[in-house]
Amino acid sequence: MGIFQFYNVRKPRQFEHKPIYYDPRKEALNRRVHKAKMELGVEETDYEQYKEDIRGSFVESTKHLRKSRDKGEDISSRLYKNMRLILVLVILAVLFWYFYLK
């Protein structure tokens, strides 16, 4: 039975990525329009308040991301630290090879 299943292998499911585009000008415009409607009394619910509460909540809920944000670290500083670590490891490997294996 195992041989027959070898020839009838199903294809894996395809990854479907639906890109999400962020336009800060459009969001600011929608926020201003919504505030104007709230002031005029046309809309009663304030959905923008919920969006502001959700935005950034992932960073706030994780300890290590919150700590790196408070330190002011960004992608370039993390990349610099990783490259420095790799360089030190390469230098140590070369020294080990030179002194012990040669």
Side-chain angles (χ1 to χ4, degrees):
M1 284 299 206
I3 292 176
F4 298 115
Q5 290 179 357
F6 179 73
Y7 292 110
N8 295 329
V9 177
R10 291 191 294 165
K11 291 183 180 179
R13 288 187 281 167
Q14 296 294 320
F15 178 73
E16 295 181 22
H17 176 69
K18 297 176 183 173
I20 299 173
Y21 297 101
Y22 175 69
D23 187 8
R25 292 185 306 171
K26 183 178 178 182
E27 187 171 310
L29 176 66
N30 287 341
R31 191 177 306 126
R32 283 185 279 159
V33 168
H34 179 71
K35 284 183 182 179
K37 287 182 180 180
M38 289 290 292
E39 290 175 359
L40 293 175
V42 177
E43 287 186 16
E44 295 181 5
T45 57
D46 190 13
Y47 295 115
E48 294 298 320
Q49 178 184 1
Y50 298 121
K51 286 184 181 179
E52 295 299 325
D53 291 340
I54 292 172
R55 188 178 312 263
S57 63
F58 181 73
V59 173
E60 291 297 324
S61 64
T62 56
K63 185 177 181 181
H64 66 282
L65 289 176
R66 187 173 52 238
K67 189 187 305 183
S68 67
R69 187 202 58 203
D70 292 342
K71 286 182 181 178
E73 293 181 353
D74 57 348
I75 294 172
S76 61
S77 65
R78 279 185 258 141
L79 180 65
Y80 174 73
K81 288 180 181 180
N82 289 339
M83 293 302 290
R84 188 173 59 187
L85 177 66
I86 291 171
L87 180 66
V88 168
L89 290 175
V90 167
I91 291 172
L92 288 175
V94 168
L95 289 174
F96 177 78
W97 175 80
Y98 183 74
F99 288 117
Y100 290 109
L101 300 177
K102 190 173 180 185

